[in-house]
Amino acid sequence: MRRALGLAAIAAFVLPLAARAQSKPDFTGTWTVDPAKSDPVPAGRGAASGTLTIKQTGQEVLFVNEGRQGPQLLMYRLDGSESTNQVVGRGGTTPLKSKAKWDGSSLVVETTRELNGISIATKEVRRLSNAGKEMEVETTIQTPQGEQKRKTIFTKDIQFADPCKVNPTLPICGHH
Amino acid sequence: MPGQHRIDWEAAKTRTDAIVPWITVFGLIAGGVYSLVEYRNHERDRRIEATMAYVTRYMAPPLSDYRAVLVKRWQAHEADLLAVLKNSSLTPAELNRQYSAGVLAMVTADELALPIQETVLFFEQLANCVTLKLCESDAVNSMLAGQAQEFLHQYYPYVCHLRQEWNDPAIARQLEQVFNAQSMGKDICR
């Protein structure tokens, strides 16, 4: 009985830590939209296409989006502090102010931008599924006209970013 | 007058003469320590400010554009590079040779020389800033050190190519020393 209680106490302490350690998935990789599994794109916004490359470290996450104006780079700090990115669009460069944070195993990015004097708030909730081969993004856009929600499914086609993590015998890796 | 307490001015003056220098010394020490702490805080703030200027530069064009190009092209060639890295039948020398050949072919085919050279230059300047204690090393480590190391891990064959072509083994040496100390003293370009 005492042993069972001891194990339960250890489990109560260790399991939340393990769950916490596992609750930060790595989104690093290159992702392609799967139109068949995604919600349709609203009329007038073009087809769902293109690739998104993500690079994640402990402190930040970097998105490279293949946009119509060329590659767009967005960098978010993961400590909940505000990050500012510049996005090039048809009307010129627009600053985006974002805050990224973890909500369990989901990465939540909340962004505000000014468009023609109107403030638009976007919330993206990003999580991995299908053993990390798919990424689900729930986007909620708040505008004065109301709320729009959309789910996009990406499939992964990236393998690695740091060669030393794949093969540490390269001379640069300091392997002995 | 009987019972009246008389002040012994001579004794009081002697005591005061003995205490005043000590108070002065304590005051000087306290003031000195305070000034030192303030100076150190000010210096740290200045180093953090210098570091944040580098972070801002890294996140803005043209460096952000160069980085976007590099990430994109890396992804396009990734499968070939991965096949080399995962080939367990290769000796370390052959692995290095094949990986280097793959990276150099990618740099040539995709015209990545300028983005790589500009990124090397940026990280070299940042490394110098850390070495000269003009940047705050803790802030650099938490924000840019990982990026610098990964960049060097990916493109060291091109760094070696530059060292050979320009006959200058000092190219990217600061970058290597500050952000990838484990390879210092080893010949990464063997």
Side-chain angles (χ1 to χ4, degrees):
Chain A
M1 180 64 182
R2 189 176 287 176
R3 193 177 166 201
L5 280 174
L7 286 173
I10 291 169
F13 180 72
V14 170
L15 290 179
L17 287 180
R20 194 179 165 84
Q22 288 169 358
S23 66
K24 306 269 188 293
D26 188 356
F27 292 98
T28 297
T30 297
W31 302 87
T32 307
V33 175
D34 185 342
K37 292 183 179 175
S38 304
D39 289 342
V41 181
R45 290 190 49 192
S49 62
T51 56
L52 172 68
T53 302
I54 303 177
K55 202 161 138 186
Q56 183 180 324
T57 65
Q59 299 83 31
E60 65 191 17
V61 61
L62 179 81
F63 292 78
V64 182
N65 206 339
E66 194 60 55
R68 288 184 196 146
Q69 315 289 330
Q72 297 267 19
L73 186 129
L74 302 168
M75 187 188 258
Y76 306 111
R77 283 189 269 278
L78 292 171
D79 58 2
S81 64
E82 188 171 273
S83 308
T84 303
N85 291 284
Q86 304 288 337
V87 176
V88 182
R90 272 176 293 183
T93 303
T94 311
L96 302 183
K97 292 186 185 298
S98 307
K99 285 185 179 176
K101 63 178 181 186
W102 292 104
D103 180 9
S105 59
S106 298
L107 177 63
V108 181
V109 180
E110 292 178 305
T111 301
T112 54
R113 78 173 85 185
E114 292 287 325
L115 200 64
N116 299 326
I118 302 167
S119 179
I120 297 174
T122 307
K123 182 180 179 184
E124 284 187 338
V125 180
R126 194 174 298 272
R127 63 178 73 87
L128 294 179
S129 58
N130 193 11
K133 291 177 189 161
E134 287 185 348
M135 178 174 67
E136 186 180 314
V137 184
E138 280 179 10
T139 309
T140 308
I141 304 175
Q142 296 279 359
T143 67
Q145 284 74 40
E147 185 180 281
Q148 297 171 15
K149 279 197 173 190
R150 184 165 170 252
K151 188 170 77 175
T152 311
I153 303 292
F154 292 82
T155 52
K156 190 174 191 179
D157 47 43
I158 204 245
Q159 327 282 336
F160 75 111
D162 188 341
C164 290
K165 288 183 180 162
V166 181
N167 195 327
T169 60
L170 288 172
I172 194 71
C173 308
H175 178 77
H176 297 288
Chain B
M1 197 179 285
Q4 188 176 9
H5 181 72
R6 300 187 66 179
I7 296 171
D8 184 348
W9 290 106
E10 279 303 313
K13 186 171 182 303
T14 307
R15 278 199 296 273
T16 305
D17 286 348
I19 289 168
V20 165
W22 284 107
I23 292 173
T24 309
V25 167
F26 281 128
L28 283 173
I29 291 172
V33 168
Y34 177 77
S35 302
L36 191 64
V37 169
E38 281 296 299
Y39 173 75
R40 287 176 66 109
N41 284 343
H42 170 73
E43 283 295 294
R44 187 165 186 272
D45 288 348
R46 203 180 49 72
R47 288 197 301 271
I48 288 175
E49 204 175 304
T51 306
M52 291 314 294
Y54 273 94
V55 173
T56 305
R57 216 176 116 199
Y58 185 69
M59 289 171 75
L63 279 169
S64 61
D65 293 340
Y66 292 143
R67 202 158 63 256
V69 168
L70 291 176
V71 169
K72 206 73 207 118
R73 299 322 302 158
W74 179 266
Q75 190 273 324
H77 292 267
E78 186 171 57
D80 295 337
L81 295 171
L82 192 64
V84 171
L85 291 169
K86 284 195 167 173
N87 187 345
S88 55
S89 67
L90 298 177
T91 63
E94 185 59 17
L95 169 78
N96 183 40
R97 196 193 65 73
Q98 289 197 18
Y99 177 75
S100 298
V103 169
L104 293 177
M106 173 175 72
V107 172
T108 306
D110 296 350
E111 299 177 342
L112 300 179
L114 178 67
I116 295 175
Q117 286 175 25
E118 290 295 318
T119 310
V120 165
L121 183 65
F122 170 80
F123 283 132
E124 276 282 277
Q125 289 168 347
L126 179 65
N128 270 321
C129 191
V130 173
T131 306
L132 296 171
K133 295 186 168 40
L134 299 172
C135 284
E136 183 64 25
S137 58
D138 288 346
V140 170
N141 285 338
S142 72
M143 285 184 277
L144 290 172
Q147 306 269 352
Q149 189 184 53
E150 191 175 277
F151 170 79
L152 188 62
H153 287 175
Q154 289 176 328
Y155 295 107
Y156 79 90
Y158 186 71
V159 168
C160 291
H161 166 77
L162 290 179
R163 286 177 181 174
Q164 191 178 13
E165 190 175 50
W166 296 348
N167 194 25
D168 183 0
I171 290 171
R173 186 67 78 197
Q174 284 283 328
L175 160 58
E176 191 185 348
Q177 192 167 3
V178 172
F179 299 116
N180 200 61
Q182 70 265 31
S183 68
M184 285 309 290
K186 296 174 67 180
D187 182 11
I188 65 167
C189 302
R190 61 186 180 228

